Amino acid sequence: MRGALLYGSALVALTEAQQLYLTTTGYTERPQCTQAAASPEYYFRPFSYTLNETVRYATSVPAPTTTKTYAAPYSEAVKHLTTTPATTTWGNWLPGQTEITATDTDEPYGEAAWSSLWKLADIKNYTTTGIYSTTVSPTPVPSSELVLPPRDYFEPTDCYNFPDDFIFGVAGSAAQVEGAVGLEGRSPTIQENLATVDQPKNYVTNENYYLYKQDIERLAAMGVKYYSFSIPWTRILPFAVPGSPVNEQAIKHYDDLINTILDAGMQPAVTLLHFDSPWLFVSSDNFSATPDFGNANGGYQNETFVDSFVNYAKIVLTNYADRVPVWFTFNEPFLYSFNFTGANNVVHAHAQVYHFYKDELKATGKMGIKFNDNFGVPRDPTNSSDVVAANRFQEIQLGLYANPIFLGKQYPDSVLETLPGAKPLSSDELSYINNTSDFFGIDPYTATVVSEPAETFTDCAANHTTANTIFPYCVVQETRNIYGWNIGYRSHSYVYITPTYLREYLNYLWNTFRKPVLVSEFGFPVYKEDEKEELSDQLFDTPRSIYYLSFMSEILKAIHEDGVHVMGALAWSWADNWEFGDYTQQFGLQVVNRTTQERFFKKSLFDLVDFVGARMASS
């Protein structure tokens, strides 16, 4: 069965790719003209200035009339927990100000124990705090900020609409926008030690932890319907493990955030873990050792990880499942579970959370998992080895998780033969894990040109040393096609504008894993946007508009011309944020003034919302 699937996938990839590499000569064929060609006539006439711009405003999200529920409220849902967790509060960790002053040293989860987590994590140069220390009340967005920018000369032309239930919105993650890392009981995560000493940290970022009401107000005023965010594990459970107390302040904070989203007429989408694993899972010897970040393990391989994550997820779900329609268990786990044990733990933890959500809570929302980005396309689609390389690329980053979760199938042979310690799932495990996702979440930022390596796949897979730079994919990855051209227009980072490959990717996912596809992140950091001295130049971000509108156009084609069920798209991100040690890669749809925390709408946000709004079937 597996061989037949691989052969079919390879055949589809080969056939579709050949259509992109047809050899032609001459000029591009023009569309059929509706007017007969004629010689021009030249004449004079009175001149007047007539090219005045029409002022258009963004259409805000209307206030809700009802609130839909997806599960029982907390008072009923909490009965599905083995024990009702205790709640408490902790203080703030401000270096040089709040050293360990607590006297409750005999309490395993007291103030002294919480403070010691920060001391033992030994966060370097944690000296920066933000402007705010309490939630900021929102103010109405002035109409002058909602005037649409001038239209681009060339715009997408199509006759398609998005389905009525199409999910459209924006996304962000806690570590990248919240700030307040040591405040109100939050404990350390892997992210505080991720960046080097001389790189900017996540201590402040966008201060969304205190500015969320204003941020929601701004997005609702622009007409954004969905707001995707993540909840930090270490805010809810500072000690992370089962049996430890729940942070009462955190529960109230995210309860209010969700209600703020709903009151604005928007819908929340929540990720349970977005790269911010508790510090204790990436350290050892009782928090005292420095983790090996080179392996990007994220703590997923820790022997207590599965039970701890499932416990954390259950607490979050019992509190919020009644009001949240879309859930993601993990964000791009391959990037932080670069070994078999970590990946295997993610698969099992995800399945347990899904069963709790569906079988015990009887929740009616949608729960899934989201995977990382690049689509591997064969460098030469007529070369069978390059096609095999592309399929291997997909298997390593997607099949590792998606085979059991979506198809109830064994881990791919390429995984079992490559990752050290890999072992097959039992039939009972496959039965339990099968069909535990309501959609296929994917972050398809761009495409990658893939070809076979100089050595054989087998030789590469056997070489686990750090000198083997192509392990574990064991394929050559490039950004130029077979003719030497870049695969698309380049951004400030790894992203290239590759809309036609996005459509091919959506076809691959839908036809391979047989679940609706949710584009859970996609975005474009304009080259050196941060170096533009004039704010108005940063706001007029035409390359980002081209990226978004071309991608959305290809999503429409995949839906209407290819029969692919694409259930939604969430743009990354709603504002420029902290890109894991970097502020120069500006993926945001708003500029953020790092001194004042003011936000400014970019042209691309207007263009994207306007594009979707004009193509909603119910509009």
Side-chain angles (χ1 to χ4, degrees), residues 508-541:
Y508 170 81
L509 297 173
W510 167 247
N511 291 297
T512 302
F513 299 109
R514 306 302 177 98
K515 284 288 186 179
V517 181
L518 176 54
V519 178
S520 40
E521 289 181 27
F522 67 126
F524 188 84
V526 175
Y527 184 67
K528 291 190 176 181
E529 184 180 80
D530 68 304
E531 296 182 14
K532 296 180 178 179
E533 296 181 0
E534 294 291 333
L535 174 62
S536 59
D537 290 335
Q538 291 197 39
L539 300 183
F540 211 106
D541 57 340

Side-chain angles (χ1 to χ4, degrees), residues 70 113 139 360 417 429 611:
Y70 304 90
T139 56
E360 297 188 48
E417 295 165 359
E429 288 175 314
F611 178 91

Side-chain angles (χ1 to χ4, degrees), residues 132-153:
Y132 301 98
S133 59
T134 188
T135 301
V136 176
S137 297
T139 56
V141 180
S143 59
S144 59
E145 291 189 41
L146 301 176
V147 177
L148 270 70
R151 292 182 183 273
D152 288 325
Y153 188 79

Side-chain angles (χ1 to χ4, degrees), residues 229-246:
F229 64 98
S230 69
I231 294 178
W233 187 343
T234 60
R235 281 206 197 276
I236 301 296
L237 287 170
F239 291 90
V241 296
S244 62
V246 174

Side-chain angles (χ1 to χ4, degrees), residues 132-195:
Y132 301 98
S133 59
T134 188
T135 301
V136 176
S137 297
T139 56
V141 180
S143 59
S144 59
E145 291 189 41
L146 301 176
V147 177
L148 270 70
R151 292 182 183 273
D152 288 325
Y153 188 79
F154 294 104
E155 293 187 321
T157 58
D158 58 75
C159 300
Y160 299 131
N161 284 332
F162 293 101
D164 285 339
D165 60 353
F166 189 82
I167 292 171
F168 167 69
V170 295
S173 81
Q176 295 174 266
V177 300
E178 277 194 349
V181 297
L183 307 183
E184 297 190 15
R186 180 187 178 280
S187 67
T189 77
I190 184 177
Q191 293 301 329
E192 282 76 74
N193 258 314
L194 182 65

Side-chain angles (χ1 to χ4, degrees), residues 94-307:
L94 299 174
Q97 301 177 43
T98 54
E99 299 296 324
I100 299 177
T101 58
T103 58
D104 57 348
T105 54
D106 294 332
E107 294 291 332
Y109 302 120
E111 189 77 21
W114 177 79
S115 297
S116 69
L117 294 179
W118 283 100
K119 290 284 287 184
L120 292 171
D122 192 24
I123 310 301
K124 305 297 184 184
N125 293 345
Y126 179 16
T127 58
T128 306
T129 56
I131 302 172
Y132 301 98
S133 59
T134 188
T135 301
V136 176
S137 297
T139 56
V141 180
S143 59
S144 59
E145 291 189 41
L146 301 176
V147 177
L148 270 70
R151 292 182 183 273
D152 288 325
Y153 188 79
F154 294 104
E155 293 187 321
T157 58
D158 58 75
C159 300
Y160 299 131
N161 284 332
F162 293 101
D164 285 339
D165 60 353
F166 189 82
I167 292 171
F168 167 69
V170 295
S173 81
Q176 295 174 266
V177 300
E178 277 194 349
V181 297
L183 307 183
E184 297 190 15
R186 180 187 178 280
S187 67
T189 77
I190 184 177
Q191 293 301 329
E192 282 76 74
N193 258 314
L194 182 65
T196 61
V197 172
D198 59 348
Q199 287 180 307
K201 302 281 189 168
N202 64 330
Y203 308 144
V204 177
T205 65
N206 296 4
E207 293 197 77
N208 173 254
Y209 186 75
Y210 294 120
L211 293 172
Y212 65 92
K213 289 182 181 290
Q214 186 66 50
D215 287 328
I216 297 302
E217 181 90 7
R218 290 180 61 82
L219 293 170
M222 282 291 295
V224 174
K225 300 293 180 64
Y226 276 79
Y227 180 73
S228 179
F229 64 98
S230 69
I231 294 178
W233 187 343
T234 60
R235 281 206 197 276
I236 301 296
L237 287 170
F239 291 90
V241 296
S244 62
V246 174
N247 184 357
E248 184 177 346
Q249 286 181 294
I251 293 294
K252 291 180 178 178
H253 174 87
Y254 294 103
D255 185 77
D256 190 60
L257 171 57
I258 291 169
N259 288 338
T260 299
I261 295 168
L262 295 171
D263 290 343
M266 299 169 65
Q267 295 293 316
V270 178
T271 300
L272 292 170
L273 184 56
H274 191 121
F275 292 166
D276 49 1
S277 297
W279 175 254
L280 75 90
F281 292 128
V282 293
S283 61
S284 59
D285 299 329
N286 197 23
F287 313 109
S288 62
T290 301
D292 181 5
F293 290 109
N295 289 331
N297 288 326
Y300 296 176
Q301 80 282 7
N302 188 285
E303 62 182 11
T304 65
F305 179 84
V306 174
D307 289 342

